Amino acid sequence: MTGTFVGMPAFPALPAVPAVPAFPAFPDAAREAVGDRVLRANLKHATHTIRDKRARAVAELADWDRLRAAGKAVKDHTLRHLDRYLIRLEESVTAAGGTVHWAADADEANRIVTGLVLATGEREVVKVKSMATQEIGLNEALEAAGIAAYETDLAELIVQLGHDRPSHILVPAIHRNRAEIRDLFAAEMGRWGRPAPEGLGDDPRELAEAARLHLREKFLRARVGISGANFMVAETGTMVVFESEGNGRMCLTLPETLISVVGVEKVVPTFRDLEIFLQTLPRSSTAERMNPYTTMWTGLGPSGGADGDGPSAFHLVLLDNGRTDTLADEVGRQALRCIRCSACLNVCPVYERAGGHAYGSVYPGPIGAILSPQLRGTGSEIDASLPYASTLCGACYEVCPVAIDIPEVLVHLRERVAQGGPVTREGIRVRIRPARGHTAERAAMRAARLLMDHPGALRAGERLLARARRLRPGRLPGPGRAWTDSRALPALPAEPFRDWWARERGGRG
């Protein structure tokens, strides 16, 4: 995709943004995180609480499986015809008074947004919680251009005040407890605006009130708001934002200029399609029957901001940044169905112990393990390790409200990492080399394939192993040592299954 700027001058080049430091491979990062007892306690309490509430909320709907299938069908249909629905979306937004921009990658999106903010003459913006803007590093790009960006979601505010990174899709500050947040507010709020009240305690109501007072002055002063969107309706050009606090509503209605940065996969064909996700997303994310704040707007709205009701300028930045390359992968593309509910994180035994920072991406947990290596490629150490950040237990697939088969994609990406092969990069089909460190894995897979292709050899090997079962070592040697360092080697049966079957059933089906 190329940038198209309707009625706008060319945007200026941005100052250089400091490169994001390379993250360690997942096993190294997870090893450090698992040793943090406070982090593990915070994660366990939060994830168990959320997933238990979600299970009760989902159980209330007798047709949950049908809603899940419907959500999957809508997303799959849209992805198959994405080009058509994006053009329809652009037409609808433009007809409603908005301006649409296309961004092929993070640099282009940052350049567009920064140019739009500078054109207003403002040097600060308020932001609705947005994973897309985190993905592209928008806050850093704005800062490099002399623009201050203030996060207004409570959890995102905590992360920003702590000069931290989000660790959860729904609850970015899940790794912090109340005492840590109180200390953070007391130490940092005054540097960003209104300081925390004297004698602030760690009661959640006190903390929320301190954040409300701190943010209120930002809302009333800001002239530019930046958001993402949970859904975009091609039929009407409507943007949809789900949130729980009301901060997003303030950002979306008070500023004079609103800029929304949204991944191209967030489009749905018709307004009626929202009916499905209005039921499944709240229950899967916050375990609520209905989202507390669901904000919808179409272009500039009926008044076009003329009477002071809503922004007087709306810009939609449609972000690709690896999404159409992911769409080219018939197995991996199902990751684009994700509606960012975070249900998969809350049931994942790996995430519960390692936390979100170990994934080295704005998208943590099981969905991050399949989405980040596709959006960014598997060339880095962290992205090559993410497909292995799973036990393949399948719990993530069971709770996904759009039925993304995450274990299937994980295995698919493991094959890509270990074997290399053809992938699409920037719209071009290329062949990548295997990642380093997988020689033994490739050799084992070749040996397994050879054995499976020769049933007689497989049968003989099974019988040999059964007769030598008393010689089974407690740990595997060589490359297998790491596997048995944390797992018990399974006991070998007294006889192969096929011999048992022939004896008991006479070979009958």
Side-chain angles (χ1 to χ4, degrees):
M1 293 180 180
T2 58
T4 59
F5 319 119
V6 181
M8 294 293 296
F11 293 113
L14 294 181
V17 179
V20 177
F23 293 104
F26 180 84
D28 298 328
R31 188 176 299 111
E32 180 178 351
V34 167
D36 186 335
R37 293 186 179 181
V38 174
L39 173 65
R40 290 187 63 176
N42 293 347
L43 289 169
K44 182 177 180 179
H45 172 73
T47 56
H48 282 236
T49 299
I50 296 171
R51 77 189 191 195
D52 291 346
K53 289 175 61 181
R54 177 206 169 273
R56 291 193 295 270
V58 167
E60 293 177 350
L61 295 181
D63 62 345
W64 178 260
D65 287 341
R66 284 180 287 170
L67 283 169
R68 186 178 189 236
K72 174 183 181 294
V74 167
K75 288 297 234 176
D76 281 345
H77 168 79
T78 309
L79 291 172
R80 283 196 300 272
H81 304 284
L82 189 59
D83 53 347
R84 170 156 55 96
Y85 287 119
L86 288 175
I87 292 172
R88 177 74 184 278
L89 175 70
E90 180 181 31
E91 293 170 347
S92 299
V93 171
T94 303
T99 303
V100 177
H101 312 270
W102 300 77
D105 54 28
D107 289 341
E108 189 168 19
N110 287 334
R111 185 169 65 252
I112 293 169
V113 176
T114 302
L116 290 169
V117 176
L118 292 174
T120 68
E122 296 296 320
R123 291 298 179 270
E124 63 179 26
V125 301
V126 289
K127 292 182 71 234
V128 186
K129 180 179 181 294
S130 164
M131 302 196 72
T133 60
Q134 293 170 3
E135 174 190 328
I136 64 177
L138 179 60
N139 285 10
E140 293 77 10
L142 291 172
E143 182 181 2
I147 301 167
Y150 299 111
E151 298 289 350
T152 63
D153 175 84
L154 178 56
E156 291 288 357
L157 172 66
I158 294 166
V159 169
Q160 187 174 47
L161 291 176
H163 307 282
D164 203 349
R165 292 186 291 118
S167 63
H168 191 278
I169 289 176
L170 178 67
V171 194
I174 197 172
H175 54 289
R176 300 276 194 178
N177 59 36
R178 293 186 303 179
E180 292 175 311
I181 295 169
R182 176 201 58 207
D183 295 343
L184 196 60
F185 280 9
E188 296 291 334
M189 269 188 172
R191 302 181 187 181
W192 292 77
R194 178 169 179 155
E198 291 290 335
L200 179 66
D202 65 359
D203 182 85
R205 288 170 295 185
E206 286 188 65
L207 297 173
E209 179 65 11
R212 188 187 71 82
L213 294 173
H214 176 82
L215 290 171
R216 183 56 58 94
E217 67 172 12
K218 308 292 187 190
F219 293 135
L220 296 177
R221 189 175 65 231
R223 296 292 177 266
V224 180
I226 295 177
S227 80
N230 294 94
F231 303 99
M232 306 179 290
V233 182
E235 176 185 47
T236 59
T238 303
M239 303 290 114
V240 186
V241 168
F242 288 34
E243 49 132 353
S244 299
E245 301 168 9
N247 295 337
R249 181 73 57 85
M250 303 283 276
C251 288
L252 295 167
T253 55
L254 290 179
E256 297 170 358
T257 299
L258 176 60
I259 305 167
S260 298
V261 182
V262 190
V264 293
E265 82 281 12
K266 295 297 186 70
V267 66
V268 295
T270 70
F271 201 86
R272 186 172 182 178
D273 293 323
L274 293 177
E275 176 186 350
I276 301 165
F277 304 109
L278 283 166
Q279 298 179 74
T280 57
L281 181 53
R283 291 175 186 268
S284 292
S285 56
T286 55
E288 294 166 301
R289 298 183 181 95
M290 182 178 179
N291 218 61
Y293 292 88
T294 302
T295 304
M296 302 184 187
W297 71 99
T298 304
L300 297 181
S303 63
D307 60 359
D309 183 15
S312 57
F314 170 60
H315 297 270
L316 171 61
V317 181
L318 292 172
L319 177 68
D320 186 333
N321 206 38
R323 285 161 174 78
T324 53
D325 289 343
T326 303
L327 188 61
D329 187 326
E330 293 185 2
V331 176
R333 70 172 59 153
Q334 59 185 298
L336 297 178
R337 294 204 298 260
C338 178
I339 58 175
R340 310 291 192 265
C341 69
S342 77
C344 62
L345 281 71
N346 299 324
V347 299
C348 177
V350 176
Y351 175 86
E352 180 186 321
R353 289 158 178 80
H357 290 162
Y359 293 83
S361 168
V362 66
Y363 303 110
I367 187 62
I370 65 171
L371 188 57
S372 298
Q374 295 191 87
L375 296 181
R376 304 189 304 202
T378 54
S380 69
E381 189 177 25
I382 179 65
D383 289 315
S385 68
L386 286 179
Y388 296 87
S390 171
T391 63
L392 300 180
C393 67
C396 50
Y397 171 65
E398 295 299 325
V399 299
C400 178
V402 286
I404 301 171
D405 194 340
I406 293 178
E408 179 188 28
V409 183
L410 286 167
V411 173
H412 172 66
L413 293 176
R414 289 181 185 187
E415 180 183 4
R416 178 181 299 176
V417 170
Q419 302 284 1
V423 298
T424 302
R425 288 286 175 264
E426 298 181 3
I428 300 172
R429 198 69 171 166
V430 298
R431 179 171 290 275
I432 61 172
R433 297 175 59 84
R436 291 184 300 175
H438 294 271
T439 304
E441 183 180 349
R442 288 194 297 275
M445 290 298 103
R446 282 196 294 266
R449 183 168 60 244
L450 181 64
L451 197 61
M452 296 295 182
D453 286 342
H454 296 82
L458 177 62
R459 185 179 298 109
E462 290 173 343
R463 289 172 175 168
L464 179 62
L465 284 173
R467 291 171 182 172
R469 66 184 187 280
R470 291 185 179 85
L471 303 178
R472 178 182 67 89
R475 298 175 62 189
L476 294 174
R481 182 184 300 273
W483 196 88
T484 50
D485 278 346
S486 57
R487 301 170 181 84
L489 196 62
L492 293 170
E495 61 179 335
F497 172 79
R498 67 180 70 211
D499 288 355
W500 174 89
W501 184 266
R503 187 183 71 253
E504 295 294 325
R505 303 293 181 90
R508 296 189 304 273

